[in-house]
Amino acid sequence: QQPPRVEMAAGSGPGARELFAEGLLQFLRPAVRQLDRHVHSVRESQVELREHIDSLATELCRINEDQKVALDLDPYVKKLLNARRRVVLVNNILQNAQERLRRLNHSVAKETVRRRAMLEAGGYQAK
């Protein structure tokens, strides 16, 4: 199935399509970069959260061992470890998404350079 064609109001020649594509790439690049920064920030928060969960689980185990009265903190430790596992899973998903964003950003940059070179080559030939 063919993608829909974009018709340009000022013309539908190759130059107009190239110009439109260049503008679209320039429009998308900042959004991709911003999304990448946000994903990176969330990943850092996830790592910090995982470290706090580990610290809390360790502290609960220590408290449980030091108590003279038998408190069953194992269910809470298990809940913490389960939460940590979920944090790790989310972090892995974010890492994969960030890698895809980096590849997309790289592709956009390569395509921008290629299209700019084509436009400049076309512009020089028209002179």
Side-chain angles (χ1 to χ4, degrees):
Q1 181 178 351
Q2 292 288 337
R5 275 187 58 194
V6 176
E7 294 296 327
M8 305 298 292
S12 60
R17 283 192 295 266
E18 292 295 324
L19 198 57
F20 177 74
E22 175 71 21
L24 186 59
L25 288 173
Q26 291 299 326
F27 176 74
L28 290 176
R29 179 177 287 127
V32 170
R33 285 184 179 153
Q34 182 182 18
L35 188 56
D36 184 57
R37 284 192 301 271
H38 287 304
V39 168
H40 181 72
S41 176
V42 170
R43 285 186 58 211
E44 287 178 349
S45 296
Q46 293 284 320
V47 168
E48 187 177 329
L49 178 59
R50 186 181 68 220
E51 289 170 356
H52 285 299
I53 288 172
D54 288 345
S55 174
L56 186 54
T58 302
E59 188 65 21
L60 280 176
C61 287
R62 189 191 61 74
I63 289 171
N64 197 29
E65 289 171 1
D66 291 346
Q67 288 295 323
K68 292 180 180 158
V69 178
L71 291 175
D72 189 18
L73 296 178
D74 286 340
Y76 301 105
V77 171
K78 286 179 183 176
K79 284 182 182 182
L80 279 172
L81 294 176
N82 188 34
R84 182 191 186 282
R85 183 185 58 81
R86 283 182 281 164
V87 166
V88 168
L89 288 173
V90 168
N91 196 35
N92 289 339
I93 291 168
L94 287 171
Q95 187 174 0
N96 291 337
Q98 188 172 32
E99 184 56 36
R100 284 188 220 122
L101 279 171
R102 284 189 183 137
R103 285 194 306 262
L104 178 62
N105 193 27
H106 180 71
S107 296
V108 167
K110 278 178 51 176
E111 185 66 14
T112 300
V113 168
R114 185 185 75 79
R115 290 185 183 267
R116 188 172 287 137
M118 286 175 56
L119 284 172
E120 289 173 357
Y124 291 130
Q125 291 173 356
K127 289 181 181 178

